[in-house]
Amino acid sequence: MQFRDLKRQYNILKEPINKAVTEVMSSGAFVMGSKVEELEQSLAEYVGVKHCVSCANGTDSLYLALRALNIGEDDIVFVPDFTFFATAEAVSRVGAQPVFVDVDPNTFNISPEKLEEEISLWEETGDGCQDLKAIITVDLFGQPADYIKIQEIAKRHGLVVIEDAAQGFGSRIGEQKACSFGTIGCTSFFPAKPLGCYGDGGALFTNDDSLANTCRSLRQHGKGVSKYSNEKIGLNSRLDAIQAAILQVKLSVFDQEIVAVNHIAELYSKLLDDSIITIPQVQEGFHSSWAQYTIILPDEINREDLQTKLQGKKIPTQIYYPTPLHLLPAYHKYATWYKCPNSLSLCQHVLSLPIHPYLTEEEVNIVAETINKIIRSNG
Ligand SMILES: *Cc1c(COP(=O)(O)O)cnc(C)c1O
Protein backbone atom coordinates (compact mmCIF):
# COMPACT_ATOMS: atom_id res chain seq x y z
CA MET A 1 0.00 0.00 0.00
CA GLN A 2 1.25 3.50 -0.77
CA PHE A 3 0.68 6.62 1.31
CA ARG A 4 -0.45 8.55 -1.75
CA ASP A 5 -0.59 6.33 -4.82
CA LEU A 6 0.13 8.62 -7.76
CA LYS A 7 0.75 5.69 -10.11
CA ARG A 8 -2.81 4.49 -9.71
CA GLN A 9 -4.10 7.88 -10.81
CA TYR A 10 -1.70 7.94 -13.76
CA ASN A 11 -2.80 4.50 -14.93
CA ILE A 12 -6.38 5.73 -15.08
CA LEU A 13 -5.52 9.01 -16.85
CA LYS A 14 -2.66 7.63 -18.94
CA GLU A 15 -4.20 8.14 -22.37
CA PRO A 16 -5.29 11.79 -22.09
CA ILE A 17 -2.14 12.75 -20.14
CA ASN A 18 0.22 11.15 -22.64
CA LYS A 19 -1.67 12.81 -25.48
CA ALA A 20 -1.51 16.23 -23.80
CA VAL A 21 2.21 15.94 -23.06
CA THR A 22 3.00 14.76 -26.62
CA GLU A 23 1.08 17.74 -27.98
CA VAL A 24 3.25 20.13 -25.97
CA MET A 25 6.43 18.41 -27.10
CA SER A 26 5.42 18.67 -30.78
CA SER A 27 4.38 22.30 -30.36
CA GLY A 28 7.87 23.44 -29.31
CA ALA A 29 6.41 25.94 -26.80
CA PHE A 30 7.61 24.84 -23.38
CA VAL A 31 7.48 27.69 -20.88
CA MET A 32 4.34 29.81 -20.38
CA GLY A 33 2.43 30.30 -23.66
CA SER A 34 -1.12 29.38 -24.62
CA LYS A 35 -1.34 26.12 -22.62
CA VAL A 36 -0.46 28.00 -19.45
CA GLU A 37 -2.92 30.82 -20.23
CA GLU A 38 -5.69 28.29 -20.87
CA LEU A 39 -4.96 26.60 -17.57
CA GLU A 40 -4.98 29.92 -15.70
CA GLN A 41 -8.43 30.62 -17.15
CA SER A 42 -9.75 27.19 -16.19
CA LEU A 43 -8.37 27.51 -12.65
CA ALA A 44 -9.78 31.03 -12.14
CA GLU A 45 -13.15 29.76 -13.29
CA TYR A 46 -12.93 26.73 -11.02
CA VAL A 47 -12.15 28.85 -7.96
CA GLY A 48 -14.59 31.59 -8.95
CA VAL A 49 -12.18 34.55 -8.94
CA LYS A 50 -11.18 36.99 -11.67
CA HIS A 51 -7.45 36.22 -11.96
CA CYS A 52 -5.19 33.22 -11.70
CA VAL A 53 -1.44 33.79 -12.04
CA SER A 54 0.57 30.59 -12.24
CA CYS A 55 4.14 30.29 -10.99
CA ALA A 56 6.89 27.77 -10.34
CA ASN A 57 5.78 26.37 -6.96
CA GLY A 58 3.66 27.03 -3.89
CA THR A 59 6.46 28.64 -1.90
CA ASP A 60 6.99 31.20 -4.65
CA SER A 61 3.25 31.90 -4.76
CA LEU A 62 3.42 32.99 -1.10
CA TYR A 63 6.55 35.05 -1.75
CA LEU A 64 4.94 36.72 -4.78
CA ALA A 65 1.77 37.50 -2.79
CA LEU A 66 3.78 39.18 -0.01
CA ARG A 67 5.84 41.16 -2.55
CA ALA A 68 2.74 42.27 -4.47
CA LEU A 69 1.22 43.50 -1.20
CA ASN A 70 4.41 45.47 -0.47
CA ILE A 71 5.20 43.51 2.67
CA GLY A 72 8.86 43.60 3.66
CA GLU A 73 11.31 44.80 6.25
CA ASP A 74 9.84 46.03 9.57
CA ASP A 75 6.53 44.34 8.84
CA ILE A 76 4.86 41.66 10.90
CA VAL A 77 2.88 38.75 9.46
CA PHE A 78 0.86 36.37 11.63
CA VAL A 79 1.13 32.70 10.67
CA PRO A 80 -0.11 29.49 12.32
CA ASP A 81 2.55 27.68 14.37
CA PHE A 82 1.43 24.27 13.10
CA THR A 83 2.06 24.13 9.34
CA PHE A 84 4.71 23.34 6.75
CA PHE A 85 7.81 25.53 7.03
CA ALA A 86 7.22 27.26 3.66
CA THR A 87 4.35 29.34 5.08
CA ALA A 88 6.73 31.20 7.40
CA GLU A 89 9.76 30.92 5.16
CA ALA A 90 8.13 33.16 2.55
CA VAL A 91 7.60 35.82 5.23
CA SER A 92 11.26 35.71 6.26
CA ARG A 93 12.34 35.75 2.62
CA VAL A 94 10.76 39.18 2.05
CA GLY A 95 12.50 40.41 5.21
CA ALA A 96 9.35 40.58 7.36
CA GLN A 97 8.93 38.87 10.73
CA PRO A 98 6.61 35.90 11.16
CA VAL A 99 4.66 35.83 14.43
CA PHE A 100 3.55 32.30 15.28
CA VAL A 101 -0.04 31.87 16.45
CA ASP A 102 -1.37 28.77 18.19
CA VAL A 103 -3.91 26.56 16.47
CA ASP A 104 -7.29 25.08 17.31
CA PRO A 105 -6.67 21.44 18.30
CA ASN A 106 -10.02 20.39 16.78
CA THR A 107 -9.39 21.74 13.27
CA PHE A 108 -5.55 21.98 13.23
CA ASN A 109 -6.03 25.51 11.80
CA ILE A 110 -5.06 28.93 13.18
CA SER A 111 -7.20 29.72 16.23
CA PRO A 112 -9.23 32.94 15.72
CA GLU A 113 -9.21 33.52 19.51
CA LYS A 114 -5.41 33.15 19.81
CA LEU A 115 -4.98 35.30 16.72
CA GLU A 116 -7.02 38.10 18.26
CA GLU A 117 -5.01 37.82 21.51
CA GLU A 118 -1.68 37.89 19.69
CA ILE A 119 -2.67 40.90 17.55
CA SER A 120 -3.85 42.82 20.61
CA LEU A 121 -0.63 42.00 22.43
CA TRP A 122 1.48 43.36 19.56
CA GLU A 123 -0.71 46.45 19.26
CA GLU A 124 -0.22 47.19 22.94
CA THR A 125 3.37 46.17 23.53
CA GLY A 126 5.06 46.23 20.09
CA ASP A 127 8.08 48.53 19.91
CA GLY A 128 6.22 50.83 17.52
CA CYS A 129 8.84 50.36 14.78
CA GLN A 130 7.12 47.39 13.22
CA ASP A 131 3.89 47.45 11.25
CA LEU A 132 1.32 44.70 11.67
CA LYS A 133 0.46 43.91 8.04
CA ALA A 134 -1.03 40.53 7.28
CA ILE A 135 -2.29 37.13 8.36
CA ILE A 136 -1.38 34.03 6.37
CA THR A 137 -4.05 31.44 7.03
CA VAL A 138 -3.36 27.83 6.12
CA ASP A 139 -6.05 25.39 5.00
CA LEU A 140 -4.22 22.59 6.77
CA PHE A 141 -4.73 18.99 5.67
CA GLY A 142 -7.40 20.26 3.26
CA GLN A 143 -9.81 22.02 5.59
CA PRO A 144 -10.38 25.77 5.06
CA ALA A 145 -9.39 27.95 8.01
CA ASP A 146 -12.24 29.65 9.89
CA TYR A 147 -12.58 32.55 7.42
CA ILE A 148 -15.86 33.81 8.82
CA LYS A 149 -14.12 34.78 12.07
CA ILE A 150 -10.71 35.56 10.61
CA GLN A 151 -11.96 38.02 8.00
CA GLU A 152 -13.80 39.91 10.72
CA ILE A 153 -10.67 40.08 12.90
CA ALA A 154 -8.51 41.15 9.93
CA LYS A 155 -10.94 43.93 9.07
CA ARG A 156 -11.10 45.22 12.63
CA HIS A 157 -7.30 45.42 12.90
CA GLY A 158 -6.61 46.60 9.34
CA LEU A 159 -4.75 43.44 8.29
CA VAL A 160 -4.65 41.73 4.91
CA VAL A 161 -5.49 38.00 4.64
CA ILE A 162 -3.32 35.79 2.43
CA GLU A 163 -4.68 32.26 2.05
CA ASP A 164 -2.15 29.43 1.92
CA ALA A 165 -4.29 26.79 0.20
CA ALA A 166 -1.37 24.57 -0.82
CA GLN A 167 -3.21 21.69 0.86
CA GLY A 168 -6.72 23.05 0.49
CA PHE A 169 -7.28 23.37 -3.25
CA GLY A 170 -10.73 21.93 -4.01
CA SER A 171 -12.09 22.51 -0.51
CA ARG A 172 -14.91 24.95 0.25
CA ILE A 173 -17.08 26.65 2.84
CA GLY A 174 -20.65 26.32 1.60
CA GLU A 175 -20.25 26.94 -2.13
CA GLN A 176 -17.24 29.26 -1.81
CA LYS A 177 -14.00 27.60 -2.87
CA ALA A 178 -10.55 27.67 -1.30
CA CYS A 179 -8.12 30.18 -2.85
CA SER A 180 -10.91 32.80 -2.84
CA PHE A 181 -10.96 33.63 0.87
CA GLY A 182 -8.02 36.01 1.08
CA THR A 183 -7.08 39.18 -0.78
CA ILE A 184 -4.70 36.76 -2.48
CA GLY A 185 -5.03 32.96 -2.43
CA CYS A 186 -1.94 30.81 -2.96
CA THR A 187 -1.62 27.16 -3.90
CA SER A 188 0.85 24.45 -4.84
CA PHE A 189 0.69 21.78 -7.55
CA PHE A 190 3.43 19.64 -6.00
CA PRO A 191 2.57 16.01 -6.96
CA ALA A 192 1.27 15.01 -3.51
CA LYS A 193 -1.09 18.01 -3.09
CA PRO A 194 -4.82 17.61 -3.86
CA LEU A 195 -4.30 18.90 -7.44
CA GLY A 196 -0.78 17.84 -8.33
CA CYS A 197 1.30 18.07 -11.50
CA TYR A 198 4.35 15.97 -12.47
CA GLY A 199 6.96 18.32 -11.09
CA ASP A 200 6.71 21.66 -9.32
CA GLY A 201 4.00 24.23 -9.90
CA GLY A 202 1.96 26.85 -8.09
CA ALA A 203 -0.57 29.63 -8.57
CA LEU A 204 -2.02 32.81 -7.07
CA PHE A 205 -5.66 33.87 -7.17
CA THR A 206 -7.15 37.34 -6.73
CA ASN A 207 -10.05 39.53 -7.76
CA ASP A 208 -7.80 42.61 -7.73
CA ASP A 209 -6.62 43.67 -11.24
CA SER A 210 -3.65 45.62 -10.01
CA LEU A 211 -2.36 42.87 -7.67
CA ALA A 212 -2.70 40.33 -10.48
CA ASN A 213 -0.67 42.56 -12.81
CA THR A 214 2.03 43.03 -10.19
CA CYS A 215 2.26 39.25 -9.66
CA ARG A 216 2.49 38.69 -13.44
CA SER A 217 5.34 41.18 -13.60
CA LEU A 218 7.20 39.88 -10.54
CA ARG A 219 7.13 36.24 -11.66
CA GLN A 220 8.93 37.27 -14.84
CA HIS A 221 11.86 39.37 -13.61
CA GLY A 222 9.69 42.39 -12.80
CA LYS A 223 8.94 42.99 -16.46
CA GLY A 224 7.20 46.15 -17.64
CA VAL A 225 5.07 46.48 -20.77
CA SER A 226 7.71 44.53 -22.62
CA LYS A 227 9.91 41.68 -21.43
CA TYR A 228 13.00 43.90 -21.51
CA SER A 229 11.70 46.97 -19.74
CA ASN A 230 12.18 45.61 -16.22
CA GLU A 231 10.56 47.82 -13.60
CA LYS A 232 11.15 45.90 -10.39
CA ILE A 233 13.47 43.27 -9.01
CA GLY A 234 11.43 40.13 -9.48
CA LEU A 235 12.37 36.50 -10.00
CA ASN A 236 12.02 33.71 -12.51
CA SER A 237 8.99 31.77 -11.36
CA ARG A 238 7.07 30.46 -14.35
CA LEU A 239 4.96 27.36 -14.94
CA ASP A 240 5.92 25.18 -17.90
CA ALA A 241 3.54 24.05 -20.61
CA ILE A 242 3.93 20.32 -19.86
CA GLN A 243 2.77 20.85 -16.27
CA ALA A 244 -0.10 23.04 -17.49
CA ALA A 245 -1.22 20.35 -19.94
CA ILE A 246 -1.12 17.68 -17.22
CA LEU A 247 -3.02 19.90 -14.78
CA GLN A 248 -5.70 20.60 -17.40
CA VAL A 249 -6.38 16.84 -17.74
CA LYS A 250 -6.34 16.33 -13.97
CA LEU A 251 -8.70 19.27 -13.43
CA SER A 252 -11.29 17.52 -15.62
CA VAL A 253 -11.64 14.69 -13.07
CA PHE A 254 -10.80 16.74 -9.97
CA ASP A 255 -14.35 17.14 -8.64
CA GLN A 256 -14.91 13.38 -8.88
CA GLU A 257 -11.66 12.86 -6.97
CA ILE A 258 -12.79 15.21 -4.22
CA VAL A 259 -16.03 13.22 -3.86
CA ALA A 260 -14.04 9.95 -3.78
CA VAL A 261 -11.55 11.18 -1.18
CA ASN A 262 -14.39 12.44 1.02
CA HIS A 263 -15.89 8.98 0.86
CA ILE A 264 -12.55 7.49 2.01
CA ALA A 265 -12.34 9.96 4.90
CA GLU A 266 -15.92 9.20 6.00
CA LEU A 267 -15.17 5.50 5.96
CA TYR A 268 -12.04 5.96 8.08
CA SER A 269 -14.02 8.03 10.59
CA LYS A 270 -16.71 5.36 10.76
CA LEU A 271 -14.30 2.46 11.22
CA LEU A 272 -11.57 3.84 13.50
CA ASP A 273 -12.07 3.36 17.23
CA ASP A 274 -12.74 6.91 18.39
CA SER A 275 -13.01 5.84 22.01
CA ILE A 276 -9.20 5.62 21.99
CA ILE A 277 -8.00 7.99 19.27
CA THR A 278 -9.31 11.37 18.08
CA ILE A 279 -10.53 11.40 14.50
CA PRO A 280 -10.30 14.60 12.43
CA GLN A 281 -13.15 17.10 12.79
CA VAL A 282 -14.57 19.17 9.94
CA GLN A 283 -16.46 22.34 10.88
CA GLU A 284 -20.15 22.48 9.98
CA GLY A 285 -20.67 23.73 6.44
CA PHE A 286 -16.97 23.17 5.62
CA HIS A 287 -15.87 20.63 2.98
CA SER A 288 -12.31 19.35 3.11
CA SER A 289 -10.19 18.26 0.16
CA TRP A 290 -8.45 15.78 2.50
CA ALA A 291 -4.84 16.41 1.59
CA GLN A 292 -4.20 14.39 4.76
CA TYR A 293 -6.28 12.25 7.11
CA THR A 294 -4.71 12.94 10.49
CA ILE A 295 -5.60 11.29 13.78
CA ILE A 296 -4.52 12.33 17.28
CA LEU A 297 -3.17 9.63 19.57
CA PRO A 298 -3.60 9.67 23.35
CA ASP A 299 -0.53 9.81 25.64
CA GLU A 300 -0.73 6.07 26.38
CA ILE A 301 -0.03 5.11 22.79
CA ASN A 302 3.58 5.17 21.68
CA ARG A 303 3.50 6.71 18.21
CA GLU A 304 6.80 5.33 16.99
CA ASP A 305 5.85 1.87 18.13
CA LEU A 306 2.49 2.09 16.33
CA GLN A 307 4.19 3.30 13.15
CA THR A 308 6.67 0.41 13.27
CA LYS A 309 3.91 -2.15 13.78
CA LEU A 310 1.91 -0.65 10.89
CA GLN A 311 4.99 -0.62 8.67
CA GLY A 312 5.38 -4.32 9.50
CA LYS A 313 1.95 -4.81 7.90
CA LYS A 314 3.05 -2.66 4.92
CA ILE A 315 0.90 0.30 6.01
CA PRO A 316 2.82 3.56 5.59
CA THR A 317 2.09 6.52 7.87
CA GLN A 318 3.58 10.01 8.20
CA ILE A 319 4.00 12.63 10.88
CA TYR A 320 2.80 16.03 9.71
CA TYR A 321 4.43 17.84 11.49
CA PRO A 322 6.98 16.68 14.05
CA THR A 323 8.10 20.17 15.18
CA PRO A 324 6.18 23.40 15.70
CA LEU A 325 7.53 26.29 13.62
CA HIS A 326 8.65 28.22 16.70
CA LEU A 327 10.96 25.38 17.73
CA LEU A 328 12.59 24.77 14.35
CA PRO A 329 16.32 25.51 14.22
CA ALA A 330 15.76 28.17 11.54
CA TYR A 331 13.58 30.09 13.99
CA HIS A 332 15.57 29.43 17.14
CA LYS A 333 15.86 33.14 17.85
CA TYR A 334 12.12 33.26 18.57
CA ALA A 335 11.96 29.98 20.51
CA THR A 336 12.09 31.46 23.98
CA TRP A 337 9.35 33.98 23.58
CA TYR A 338 6.67 31.94 21.86
CA LYS A 339 4.45 29.45 23.52
CA CYS A 340 1.94 27.54 21.42
CA PRO A 341 0.84 24.63 23.61
CA ASN A 342 -1.75 23.22 21.20
CA SER A 343 0.67 23.20 18.31
CA LEU A 344 3.37 21.58 20.44
CA SER A 345 0.99 18.89 21.69
CA LEU A 346 -0.26 18.13 18.16
CA CYS A 347 3.32 17.70 16.94
CA GLN A 348 3.77 15.04 19.59
CA HIS A 349 0.49 13.19 19.01
CA VAL A 350 -0.56 13.38 15.33
CA LEU A 351 -0.36 10.59 12.79
CA SER A 352 -1.40 10.85 9.14
CA LEU A 353 -2.82 7.76 7.43
CA PRO A 354 -2.73 6.77 3.75
CA ILE A 355 -5.35 8.71 1.79
CA HIS A 356 -5.98 9.50 -1.87
CA PRO A 357 -8.98 9.28 -4.22
CA TYR A 358 -7.98 5.86 -5.55
CA LEU A 359 -7.58 4.07 -2.21
CA THR A 360 -10.04 1.16 -2.14
CA GLU A 361 -12.64 0.48 0.57
CA GLU A 362 -10.83 -2.78 1.22
CA GLU A 363 -7.57 -0.95 1.90
CA VAL A 364 -9.31 1.52 4.25
CA ASN A 365 -10.78 -1.45 6.08
CA ILE A 366 -7.36 -3.05 6.46
CA VAL A 367 -5.75 0.17 7.76
CA ALA A 368 -8.57 0.88 10.23
CA GLU A 369 -8.82 -2.67 11.52
CA THR A 370 -5.05 -2.99 11.94
CA ILE A 371 -4.90 0.27 13.89
CA ASN A 372 -7.87 -0.70 16.06
CA LYS A 373 -6.31 -4.06 16.86
CA ILE A 374 -2.95 -2.51 17.85
CA ILE A 375 -4.36 0.30 19.98
CA ARG A 376 -6.86 -1.99 21.74
CA SER A 377 -4.15 -4.46 22.72
CA ASN A 378 -1.94 -1.58 23.91
CA GLY A 379 -0.49 -1.92 27.45
C1 LIG B 1 3.42 22.29 0.20
C2 LIG B 1 3.14 23.49 0.94
C3 LIG B 1 3.70 24.75 0.59
C4 LIG B 1 4.75 24.89 -0.47
O1 LIG B 1 4.45 24.42 -1.73
P1 LIG B 1 5.62 23.98 -2.73
O2 LIG B 1 4.93 23.86 -4.04
O3 LIG B 1 6.16 22.69 -2.23
O4 LIG B 1 6.64 25.07 -2.73
C5 LIG B 1 3.32 25.85 1.31
N1 LIG B 1 2.45 25.77 2.33
C6 LIG B 1 1.91 24.60 2.71
C7 LIG B 1 0.94 24.58 3.84
C8 LIG B 1 2.25 23.42 2.05
O5 LIG B 1 1.72 22.25 2.44
Side-chain angles (χ1 to χ4, degrees):
M1 191 182 305
Q2 288 195 16
F3 190 74
R4 193 169 178 89
D5 198 334
L6 296 170
K7 271 192 227 158
R8 232 178 248 183
Q9 185 198 42
Y10 174 62
N11 283 333
I12 289 163
L13 299 174
K14 200 171 198 161
E15 220 177 287
I17 285 182
N18 287 0
K19 186 165 168 273
V21 170
T22 309
E23 251 176 53
V24 173
M25 292 196 287
S26 335
S27 80
F30 296 115
V31 178
M32 306 282 286
S34 63
K35 285 275 181 217
V36 172
E37 276 165 33
E38 277 164 37
L39 177 74
E40 287 177 340
Q41 263 177 24
S42 306
L43 291 171
E45 226 166 88
Y46 181 84
V47 170
V49 298
K50 206 165 160 194
H51 304 281
C52 167
V53 182
S54 62
C55 62
N57 56 68
T59 308
D60 278 0
S61 72
L62 291 164
Y63 171 81
L64 288 165
L66 290 160
R67 282 285 311 274
L69 288 162
N70 267 321
I71 293 168
E73 233 162 279
D74 296 328
D75 291 334
I76 281 182
V77 178
F78 297 92
V79 300
D81 190 50
F82 186 62
T83 176
F84 179 54
F85 182 61
T87 311
E89 187 182 30
V91 176
S92 302
R93 191 167 151 208
V94 298
Q97 184 189 327
V99 167
F100 308 114
V101 179
D102 208 359
V103 296
D104 180 330
N106 296 311
T107 63
F108 305 115
N109 282 328
I110 194 164
S111 151
E113 291 73 31
K114 299 281 167 126
L115 175 65
E116 178 96 62
E117 272 173 38
E118 198 65 47
I119 295 170
S120 303
L121 202 70
W122 277 85
E123 282 176 345
E124 284 160 22
T125 62
D127 61 10
C129 301
Q130 290 175 300
D131 271 336
L132 310 187
K133 281 280 175 69
I135 305 160
I136 305 186
T137 50
V138 177
D139 303 336
L140 202 72
F141 303 152
Q143 172 164 216
D146 193 345
Y147 289 102
I148 300 135
K149 287 187 186 154
I150 289 162
Q151 276 157 351
E152 191 271 321
I153 294 169
K155 207 168 163 190
R156 203 146 27 77
H157 295 274
L159 300 171
V160 174
V161 175
I162 299 169
E163 178 183 4
D164 178 350
Q167 299 180 19
F169 197 79
S171 69
R172 57 193 166 87
I173 303 176
E175 290 309 312
Q176 192 180 344
K177 292 232 174 72
C179 283
S180 74
F181 294 111
T183 299
I184 302 183
C186 300
T187 201
S188 162
F189 303 124
F190 182 74
K193 309 281 176 173
L195 181 65
C197 57
Y198 288 170
D200 275 308
L204 300 110
F205 296 83
T206 185
N207 280 314
D208 186 304
D209 299 346
S210 148
L211 284 175
N213 281 335
T214 308
C215 291
R216 285 194 183 102
S217 160
L218 285 170
R219 74 170 163 182
Q220 218 167 341
H221 305 289
K223 76 179 175 81
V225 220
S226 96
K227 209 168 158 181
Y228 301 111
S229 59
N230 310 72
E231 292 172 344
K232 319 177 247 308
I233 305 297
L235 73 164
N236 172 7
S237 183
R238 300 173 296 219
L239 189 70
D240 66 72
I242 288 182
Q243 302 310 334
I246 292 165
L247 285 167
Q248 194 71 259
V249 173
K250 288 216 193 177
L251 190 61
S252 69
V253 297
F254 187 57
D255 273 340
Q256 284 161 254
E257 291 186 341
I258 293 288
V259 171
V261 84
N262 268 276
H263 179 68
I264 300 290
E266 270 167 40
L267 196 56
Y268 265 137
S269 297
K270 197 178 91 185
L271 297 172
L272 287 164
D273 188 344
D274 63 356
S275 71
I276 304 178
I277 58 167
T278 307
I279 59 172
Q281 305 295 309
V282 178
Q283 280 181 266
E284 209 186 316
F286 286 45
H287 301 266
S288 178
S289 55
W290 295 105
Q292 303 298 341
Y293 185 93
T294 303
I295 59 173
I296 307 172
L297 304 172
D299 277 331
E300 315 81 84
I301 289 172
N302 182 311
R303 182 170 60 179
E304 220 172 287
D305 191 50
L306 174 60
Q307 276 195 294
T308 310
K309 283 178 180 156
L310 288 169
Q311 195 53 57
K313 305 259 180 207
K314 300 217 165 9
I315 297 172
T317 54
Q318 300 280 350
I319 296 168
Y320 296 126
Y321 295 92
T323 313
L325 291 189
H326 78 275
L327 290 180
L328 284 170
Y331 286 125
H332 71 98
K333 63 177 173 182
Y334 305 135
T336 51
W337 37 291
Y338 284 110
K339 283 199 194 75
C340 295
N342 295 335
S343 162
L344 184 59
S345 170
L346 287 172
C347 289
Q348 290 158 350
H349 296 96
V350 285
L351 188 68
S352 300
L353 310 183
I355 192 164
H356 59 85
Y358 303 96
L359 201 66
T360 64
E361 288 196 8
E362 198 190 340
E363 287 169 317
V364 179
N365 265 301
I366 293 170
V367 176
E369 269 171 30
T370 311
I371 291 175
N372 287 345
K373 210 185 270 172
I374 298 169
I375 60 178
R376 282 170 186 156
S377 68
N378 184 63

Coordinates of all heavy atoms in Angstrom, one line a residue, residues 143 148 173-174 282-287:
Q143 N -8.6 21.3 5.1 CA -9.8 22.0 5.6 C -9.6 23.5 5.6 O -8.6 24.0 6.1 CB -10.1 21.6 7.0 CG -11.2 22.4 7.7 CD -11.9 21.8 8.9 OE1 -13.0 21.9 9.1 NE2 -11.1 21.1 9.7
I148 N -14.8 32.9 8.4 CA -15.9 33.8 8.8 C -15.3 34.7 10.0 O -15.5 35.9 10.0 CB -17.1 33.0 9.2 CG1 -17.6 32.2 8.0 CG2 -18.2 33.8 9.8 CD1 -17.9 30.7 8.2
I173 N -16.2 26.4 1.7 CA -17.1 26.6 2.8 C -18.4 27.0 2.2 O -18.5 28.0 1.4 CB -16.6 27.8 3.7 CG1 -15.2 27.6 4.3 CG2 -17.6 28.1 4.9 CD1 -14.6 28.8 5.0
G174 N -19.4 26.2 2.4 CA -20.7 26.3 1.6 C -20.3 26.1 0.1 O -19.7 25.1 -0.2
V282 N -14.4 18.1 11.0 CA -14.6 19.2 9.9 C -15.7 20.1 10.4 O -16.7 19.6 10.9 CB -14.9 18.5 8.6 CG1 -15.2 19.6 7.5 CG2 -13.8 17.6 8.1
Q283 N -15.5 21.4 10.4 CA -16.5 22.3 10.9 C -17.7 22.3 10.0 O -17.7 22.0 8.8 CB -15.9 23.8 10.8 CG -15.0 24.1 11.9 CD -14.5 25.5 11.8 OE1 -13.4 25.8 11.3 NE2 -15.2 26.5 12.3
E284 N -18.9 22.6 10.7 CA -20.2 22.5 10.0 C -20.2 23.4 8.8 O -19.8 24.6 8.9 CB -21.3 22.8 11.0 CG -22.6 22.1 10.6 CD -23.7 22.5 11.4 OE1 -23.6 22.6 12.7 OE2 -24.8 22.7 10.9
G285 N -20.6 22.9 7.6 CA -20.7 23.7 6.4 C -19.4 23.8 5.7 O -19.3 24.4 4.6
F286 N -18.3 23.2 6.3 CA -17.0 23.2 5.6 C -16.8 21.8 4.9 O -17.3 20.8 5.4 CB -15.8 23.3 6.6 CG -15.7 24.7 7.2 CD1 -16.8 25.4 7.7 CD2 -14.4 25.2 7.4 CE1 -16.6 26.7 8.2 CE2 -14.2 26.5 7.9 CZ -15.3 27.2 8.3
H287 N -16.1 21.9 3.7 CA -15.9 20.6 3.0 C -14.4 20.5 2.7 O -13.8 21.4 2.0 CB -16.7 20.6 1.7 CG -18.2 20.8 1.9 ND1 -19.0 19.7 2.0 CD2 -18.9 21.8 2.2 CE1 -20.2 20.1 2.3 NE2 -20.2 21.4 2.4

